[in-house]
Amino acid sequence: MAVAPWLYGGLCFRFRDQNPEVAVEGPFLLPAAVTVRGGQMAMAAVAANPADTAATAVDHRKPQREKVPGLESQRRQIENGRRRPLRVGESWFLVGHHWYKQWEVYVRGGNQDSSTFPGCINNAELFEDQVNWRLKKGLVEGEDYVLLPAAAWHYLVNWYGLEHGQPPIERKVVELPSTHKVEVYSVELLLVRHSDMDTPHTAQFSQTDSVDLVLHTAREQFLVSPQEETRLWIKNAEGSFERLCNTRVTVLDAALKTGQVVVMETRNKDGTWPSAQPHDTRSTLEEEEDFQGQPGICGLTNLGNTCFMNSALQCLSNVPQLTEYFLKNRYLEELNFCNPLGMKGEIAQAYADLVKQAWSGHHRSIVPQVFKTKVGHFASQFLGYQQHDSQELLSFLLDGLHEDLNRIKKKEYVELCDAAGRPDQEVAQEAWQNHKRRNDSVIVDTFHGLFKSTLVCPDCGNVSVTFDPFCYLSVPLPVSHKRVMEVFFVSMDPRRKPEQHRLVVPKKGKISDLCVALAKHTGISPERMMVADVFSHRFYKIYQLEESLSSILDRDDIFIYEVSGRAAIGENSREDVVLPIYLRERTPARDYNSSYYGLMLFGHPLLVSVPRDRLSWDALYHILLYRLSRYVTRPSSDDEDDGDEKADLEDKDRLPKPGRVTEGSSQDPGLEQAGPSSRVVSRSRAPVDNSPGPSHWPQRARRKHLFTLHTVNSNGTSDRSTFNEDTHAQPYIAIDWEPEMKKRYYDEVEAEGYVKHDCVGYVLKKAPVQLQECIELFTTVETLEKENPWYCPTCKQHQLATKKLDLWMLPETLIIHLKRFSYTKFSREKLDTLVEFPIRDLDFSEFVIKPQNDSSRELYKYDLIAVSNHYGGLRDGHYTTFACNKDSGQWHYFDDSSVSPVTENQIESKAAYVLFYQRQDVARRLQTQASSSKPPASSACGAPPKSEFVDVN
């Protein structure tokens, strides 16, 4: 009869051909041959000295080397272990159901010498084969296997041993939604390389393993060097591919399933990814990889009005510490995929791809299509191909990069505190620490500084001091109080052509100031001038002298008419009256009984002074014929005799007496009939009288003349003869031409002619402005606008407080935005003032109010590294970049896909819009780091070596 092993003095062992572990209790010498249950024979040599035997044991399973307990004790230990709760990450082991039930019968029998002894643990029924030891599919707990915690498993192995050659079936506890579970089946993934999709490698992973482990396993399997950058894709059931962006999530969270193909892609030498390139460009890619240029000297293709984006990207790409951050892949460890304020890491990764391509040295220019698409996806204002502001894109990009790379995964609530009389040092430190508790990224490290904001209530004098972070400085330009306006002067002398004048007037002046300025050029008294806005051959508005110039836009066509000193619209005390005159041509194709449908306005309207005692149709006809004599030819006597029976005016018929001037009212039917091109909602000034309406005027007899005269409304589109008798508005006069008469007697070329006054050639020279002046203006006290009041906690109401901003702490890289675009209620303009800024040694020590010592003053000196330029005006323009290469120290001019070297004296221009300055101590630190890793380059962004330079100005 076979004897149980523990009868021999407590010996418990695994034969060397079954398991490498041997545990011995007490001094005992085993015979050379021992028969154990299961019918297997093995030889074991055990030393007489137990210490020597114990020293040979391999101690990686616990508990070991303990006395084998009784059967009831074994049963209690194992069953108690099975009842313990599952904990994530713990190991549990599978035991075949058949063996475990046999063991239960054995221990419940209570007889160690029973024939029910189960023998070594045997899990053969759980495996498909005994080569790969792959588990059978569809195994069910309780029917095919039993789960045991690690401690219980180790007890059974020590007591009974494990069948020869069988591996332990160890599984981990994973956390599933609302439950914990032992992961019996691992996830088998098929790993392939992007360059060889037909040769998969099978690897098993737990659902709790990270995707980073999958990537690490793939890199090891395919022998990828540490310097090469890789990323993973998964192939979906429909055959499409999806990026595995976040490698810090688990296999379970990434929804990876057994049998799924995972593709590892390796970045090309030129910084591109193979998957991002179409197949028909592979030959081009090979040529690009063969090209070797200076890293960073790479253009960006204009995709259609994307020069603003290219300019911002080139500036940011030439910030040394930020570019090194991406080139050395430090961003990969800090990608924040769960930030609700971020963009799931996509903006940061898209920007990193651009940087790696531009700084690979293998491209002359690259196409930023993927980056443009990402920007449009997360910021709808940049969708499409409209022109935008480079500074606005820069602001979005810095904020997006910050949130995508924010090291703070869960932002805590931070209450903003006022100074409340505390020292500035204490309040500033508290504000910066609070800012860093929620915002900590490479963008904060590089670009963020600290303001001191002081608000003073004008009523109670309450002072509020706060410290706020900033990413860039938007500094105003000193605005001139003068304004240049272009006008056309129309003299009463018909022989003189209209004159174009360029006048300098007060920016906040009145119409009278415009007349005074013109009087200096013409010698005509301002009292004899009337100012009108002409649009589409009609008067859009006739101005009064006391109106503000701010209502006139730069694009408006302003005409100033000379009138008699006795004349005015709507003043009964004057002896002359001013009549607005329009020119119309009758269209032969659509002549509907002289209705306005068959008439078309042309030419420039006139303001004509007419003596009150000559207000007859015939007199007006001859006055107008005289005023038009420069470009209207009088008919000969033969022409006069032709057709006397034809209609016109009689001398005895007189025009109605004009009265006062009033605003156009809704009673004027002409307003309703105005077409969309009239640009009129409510007409401004129109001559009126207090006499009966047009139907009470004397009827006109007709005879031969060049043109006919009609009374019309202020739009020149309706005949006043059809109006209601209650209408008191004095009519505008329309000169109506028949097409044939206009062709014979009207000279259109001469009518449109004008001369330029000498002042038009003058250019108002603006004195250049120092950058320091802009910063001083930025830190001056200002009063809040009505649209943005401040709530005073003492007064308990909103106040137009005074506000002052001061610089407390400056960043490593300082971005200065010059506010060249000015927007007001009535006007928009671009300030083309030349701002003189230093290339080196910009000293901010005088602007920083934080207490300084002599050594700290060196921390406020900056050198220029990049400039974003804007050429053109408000409606159209073009953006370019000057940038200093961090490796060579040479300045280059980036104009979309074109890159050219330039000299330092070409950098300063009126186009400078956004300036990038780097602190000198940071430049020295980066230079030291670079020199320790490679041969030294130029130490600063200085004058480039002699070569071919482009004149960008």
Side-chain angles (χ1 to χ4, degrees):
M1 184 181 66
V3 181
W6 49 82
L7 297 181
Y8 292 98
L11 174 65
C12 178
F13 63 91
R14 273 186 218 133
F15 296 108
R16 210 172 273 279
D17 61 345
Q18 293 181 355
N19 247 305
E21 297 176 352
V22 176
V24 179
E25 291 277 348
F28 186 82
L29 181 61
L30 188 72
V34 179
T35 303
V36 298
R37 294 206 183 262
Q40 294 190 9
M41 292 293 297
M43 300 299 297
V46 181
N49 189 343
D52 296 339
T53 305
T56 65
V58 179
D59 185 20
H60 75 280
R61 295 185 183 271
K62 298 188 182 216
Q64 294 185 17
R65 301 177 59 188
E66 65 178 30
K67 185 177 180 180
V68 178
L71 298 183
E72 180 61 22
S73 178
Q74 290 183 42
R75 186 185 65 80
R76 286 197 304 269
Q77 289 187 51
I78 300 303
E79 290 184 353
N80 289 340
R82 290 188 63 190
R83 286 195 289 267
R84 64 171 296 167
L86 300 177
R87 294 185 176 88
V88 176
E90 283 187 341
S91 294
W92 284 62
F93 291 80
L94 274 68
V95 176
H97 184 265
H98 177 77
W99 185 92
Y100 187 79
K101 287 300 180 183
Q102 181 71 18
W103 172 82
E104 281 187 328
V105 172
Y106 173 67
V107 294
R108 285 196 178 106
N111 183 8
Q112 293 183 346
D113 194 27
S114 171
S115 60
T116 58
F117 178 71
C120 295
I121 300 174
N122 190 347
N123 290 330
E125 61 185 6
L126 303 182
F127 297 106
E128 287 184 348
D129 58 72
Q130 296 187 5
V131 178
N132 296 319
W133 301 103
R134 189 189 304 273
L135 278 184
K136 292 180 179 178
K137 295 181 180 179
L139 297 178
V140 179
E141 182 181 3
E143 295 181 5
D144 301 303
Y145 64 88
V146 174
L147 287 171
L148 297 178
W153 165 260
H154 291 312
Y155 282 135
L156 290 179
V157 170
N158 277 282
W159 298 337
Y160 296 93
L162 181 62
E163 189 69 26
H164 171 66
Q166 287 186 9
I169 309 175
E170 181 181 3
R171 294 294 184 263
K172 296 288 186 180
V173 178
V174 297
E175 182 177 9
L176 300 176
S178 72
T179 185
H180 293 167
K181 181 181 179 181
V182 176
E183 181 188 33
V184 174
Y185 290 98
S186 58
V187 179
E188 293 186 357
L189 300 177
L190 302 178
L191 307 181
V192 298
R193 299 195 71 167
H194 184 270
S195 57
D196 185 11
M197 301 280 286
D198 299 327
T199 309
H201 167 73
T202 303
Q204 296 185 353
F205 300 94
S206 167
Q207 292 185 4
T208 59
D209 289 335
S210 67
V211 175
D212 189 62
L213 178 62
V214 178
L215 178 61
H216 181 74
T217 303
R219 291 177 64 96
E220 286 187 341
Q221 173 64 30
F222 300 121
L223 304 177
V224 178
S225 66
Q227 293 76 23
E228 293 183 282
E229 186 178 349
T230 55
R231 63 182 185 182
L232 296 179
W233 297 77
I234 56 174
K235 186 177 182 180
N236 297 321
E238 60 272 16
S240 61
F241 291 87
E242 181 182 347
R243 272 280 314 279
L244 280 174
C245 298
N246 188 358
T247 61
R248 292 191 287 273
V249 299
T250 63
V251 171
L252 176 65
D253 293 334
L256 298 180
K257 306 297 182 182
T258 294
Q260 197 159 24
V261 176
V262 178
V263 183
M264 187 192 72
E265 182 182 19
T266 305
R267 190 187 290 273
N268 296 323
K269 292 180 180 179
D270 65 350
T272 60
W273 293 101
S275 61
Q277 305 298 332
H279 290 282
D280 55 355
T281 61
R282 295 299 166 87
S283 59
T284 306
L285 287 175
E286 293 176 0
E287 294 177 3
E288 288 284 354
E289 288 194 358
D290 293 338
F291 170 76
Q292 185 62 52
Q294 173 68 45
I297 310 304
C298 177
L300 296 173
T301 301
N302 192 324
L303 304 175
N305 284 329
T306 58
C307 56
F308 72 97
M309 181 184 75
N310 294 346
S311 178
L313 288 173
Q314 293 289 11
C315 287
L316 210 56
S317 172
N318 282 278
V319 176
Q321 60 269 48
L322 183 64
T323 296
E324 286 296 318
Y325 172 84
F326 282 99
L327 292 179
K328 294 182 178 178
N329 290 333
R330 293 200 293 268
Y331 76 99
L332 293 175
E333 298 299 322
E334 298 182 351
L335 283 171
N336 192 334
F337 298 98
C338 56
N339 186 354
L341 300 178
M343 299 161 197
K344 302 178 182 178
E346 294 184 31
I347 286 293
Q349 293 182 77
Y351 178 74
D353 287 345
L354 272 182
V355 170
K356 289 176 180 291
Q357 292 177 48
W359 288 84
S360 67
H362 292 287
H363 297 280
R364 294 176 177 86
S365 66
I366 55 180
V367 181
Q369 182 65 62
V370 175
F371 181 82
K372 170 72 171 61
T373 303
K374 293 292 184 185
V375 169
H377 175 72
F378 291 104
S380 58
Q381 66 268 30
F382 296 115
L383 277 173
Y385 296 93
Q386 300 297 319
Q387 183 67 278
H388 292 280
D389 191 311
S390 67
Q391 189 273 332
E392 291 179 1
L393 178 80
L394 183 65
S395 176
F396 161 78
L397 183 54
L398 288 173
D399 184 64
L401 290 175
H402 160 64
E403 296 296 354
D404 273 0
L405 300 169
N406 199 343
R407 303 175 186 115
I408 307 299
K409 306 306 179 185
K410 186 176 181 180
K411 295 189 177 185
E412 57 181 303
Y413 172 75
V414 175
E415 185 175 355
L416 299 179
C417 299
D418 195 82
R422 294 180 293 164
D424 284 351
Q425 287 272 25
E426 177 184 341
V427 181
Q429 183 177 3
E430 177 186 63
W432 184 249
Q433 289 176 349
N434 288 340
H435 179 60
K436 292 280 284 186
R437 284 163 63 185
R438 292 174 55 86
N439 304 278
D440 185 16
S441 69
V442 66
I443 302 299
V444 175
D445 299 341
T446 307
F447 298 104
H448 282 206
L450 205 62
F451 281 141
K452 177 186 177 183
S453 176
T454 306
L455 289 165
V456 181
C457 178
D459 288 351
C460 67
N462 177 44
V463 179
S464 172
V465 176
T466 57
F467 287 83
D468 305 306
F470 68 89
C471 190
Y472 51 85
L473 299 181
S474 287
V475 299
L477 273 63
V479 179
S480 172
H481 298 292
K482 298 292 184 180
R483 177 184 178 185
V484 177
M485 298 182 65
E486 290 190 358
V487 301
F488 289 90
F489 173 67
V490 181
S491 172
M492 290 180 62
D493 185 352
R495 297 168 298 179
R496 295 178 58 185
K497 292 183 179 181
E499 292 180 344
Q500 184 183 17
H501 290 257
R502 182 172 291 169
L503 307 175
V504 180
V505 294
K507 185 167 287 188
K508 297 183 179 180
K510 298 181 179 181
I511 297 296
S512 58
D513 296 315
L514 187 63
C515 296
V516 170
L518 181 60
K520 297 178 181 179
H521 293 182
T522 62
I524 305 298
S525 171
E527 296 180 355
R528 297 179 58 188
M529 296 180 184
M530 296 191 68
V531 182
D533 180 359
V534 175
F535 177 77
S536 189
H537 313 293
R538 58 174 62 89
F539 291 116
Y540 177 66
K541 183 174 183 179
I542 299 175
Y543 293 95
Q544 299 298 318
L545 294 178
E546 65 274 8
E547 291 188 68
S548 173
L549 287 175
S550 61
S551 60
I552 299 179
L553 305 181
D554 290 337
R555 65 174 180 266
D556 292 341
D557 293 325
I558 302 300
F559 284 72
I560 301 181
Y561 296 88
E562 180 188 3
V563 296
S564 65
R566 305 173 301 167
I569 291 182
E571 294 188 14
N572 293 322
S573 60
R574 298 295 183 121
E575 298 181 9
D576 292 354
V577 64
V578 175
L579 293 179
I581 307 296
Y582 291 153
L583 299 173
R584 303 194 301 182
E585 179 181 5
R586 192 179 302 278
T587 55
R590 302 183 62 185
D591 187 2
Y592 301 104
N593 298 324
S594 300
S595 69
Y596 71 90
Y597 291 105
L599 296 167
M600 181 180 296
L601 290 169
F602 70 94
H604 297 299
L606 296 172
L607 289 177
V608 178
S609 301
V610 180
R612 287 182 179 274
D613 57 1
R614 296 183 60 191
L615 281 177
S616 67
W617 290 109
D618 190 62
L620 180 59
Y621 172 83
H622 288 93
I623 290 174
L624 294 178
L625 196 60
Y626 172 72
R627 286 295 303 268
L628 303 176
S629 61
R630 181 171 57 87
Y631 45 90
V632 172
T633 306
R634 289 179 178 272
S636 65
S637 58
D638 294 338
D639 294 334
E640 285 286 349
D641 294 337
D642 183 18
D644 288 340
E645 72 280 0
K646 295 185 178 178
D648 212 43
L649 306 170
E650 291 187 357
D651 292 342
K652 63 180 180 180
D653 296 335
R654 306 181 61 81
L655 286 172
K657 295 180 180 179
R660 59 184 175 85
V661 179
T662 61
E663 292 283 348
S665 66
S666 61
Q667 296 177 350
D668 188 349
L671 295 180
E672 299 177 2
Q673 300 178 33
S677 63
S678 64
R679 205 181 83 173
V680 175
V681 176
S682 176
R683 298 313 306 168
S684 301
R685 301 292 187 272
V688 300
D689 68 29
N690 296 319
S691 62
S695 63
H696 289 248
W697 294 3
Q699 296 300 311
R700 294 168 287 172
R702 291 182 171 270
R703 65 177 183 175
K704 170 67 178 178
H705 276 106
L706 295 182
F707 47 77
T708 59
L709 302 177
H710 293 86
T711 57
V712 294
N713 70 345
S714 56
N715 286 328
T717 56
S718 299
D719 192 334
R720 291 296 293 256
S721 64
T722 62
F723 287 179
N724 192 306
E725 293 185 7
D726 295 334
T727 303
H728 296 300
Q730 177 180 350
Y732 285 41
I733 304 300
I735 300 176
D736 290 348
W737 290 82
E738 294 292 341
E740 183 62 28
M741 299 296 285
K742 177 175 177 286
K743 182 177 181 182
R744 290 173 61 183
Y745 299 108
Y746 187 89
D747 188 345
E748 292 191 25
V749 176
E750 182 65 25
E752 295 294 327
Y754 69 95
V755 295
K756 293 184 178 181
H757 190 267
D758 292 341
C759 63
V760 177
Y762 300 155
V763 177
L764 182 63
K765 293 185 177 180
K766 298 180 181 179
V769 175
Q770 299 295 321
L771 179 61
Q772 289 82 345
E773 296 179 49
C774 301
I775 300 170
E776 288 176 0
L777 194 60
F778 174 79
T779 57
T780 55
V781 178
E782 62 177 355
T783 302
L784 298 179
E785 298 177 350
K786 293 181 180 180
E787 295 81 8
N788 187 30
W790 169 66
Y791 182 79
C792 177
T794 304
C795 299
K796 304 298 182 183
Q797 61 182 354
H798 289 87
Q799 300 283 5
L800 298 181
T802 59
K803 180 178 182 180
K804 188 178 189 305
L805 291 176
D806 291 295
L807 301 176
W808 181 266
M809 184 178 70
L810 297 181
E812 293 184 352
T813 300
L814 180 62
I815 302 175
I816 302 177
H817 166 224
L818 303 178
K819 298 171 70 173
R820 289 196 177 276
F821 299 104
S822 173
Y823 301 94
T824 65
K825 185 177 181 180
F826 297 103
S827 65
R828 301 172 59 201
E829 63 176 331
K830 179 192 175 183
L831 306 176
D832 59 352
T833 307
L834 174 63
V835 178
E836 296 180 341
F837 49 88
I839 305 297
R840 296 183 184 82
D841 297 327
L842 174 60
D843 192 352
F844 270 90
S845 59
E846 61 178 300
F847 300 108
V848 177
I849 64 171
K850 182 179 181 180
Q852 309 169 26
N853 52 42
D854 293 337
S855 60
S856 64
R857 290 183 178 274
E858 293 297 321
L859 299 178
Y860 300 112
K861 287 189 176 182
Y862 287 79
D863 292 335
L864 188 71
I865 58 173
V867 181
S868 176
N869 305 301
H870 179 266
Y871 299 93
L874 286 171
R875 297 184 179 181
D876 54 3
H878 184 59
Y879 288 92
T880 63
T881 300
F882 289 114
C884 177
N885 186 274
K886 69 181 182 65
D887 296 332
S888 66
Q890 179 172 311
W891 282 91
H892 287 80
Y893 181 65
F894 297 84
D895 185 358
D896 289 333
S897 57
S898 174
V899 185
S900 305
V902 292
T903 57
E904 285 187 5
N905 57 10
Q906 295 176 272
I907 297 171
E908 188 179 274
S909 72
K910 293 181 179 180
Y913 182 45
V914 183
L915 310 176
F916 283 69
Y917 277 94
Q918 186 179 56
R919 213 167 61 203
Q920 289 183 350
D921 68 304
V922 176
R924 288 191 293 268
R925 183 190 71 202
L926 295 174
Q927 180 189 355
T928 303
Q929 295 174 355
S931 61
S932 62
S933 59
K934 61 183 179 180
S938 179
S939 61
C941 289
K946 294 181 179 180
S947 60
E948 295 294 329
F949 299 108
V950 60
D951 185 0
V952 298
N953 295 323

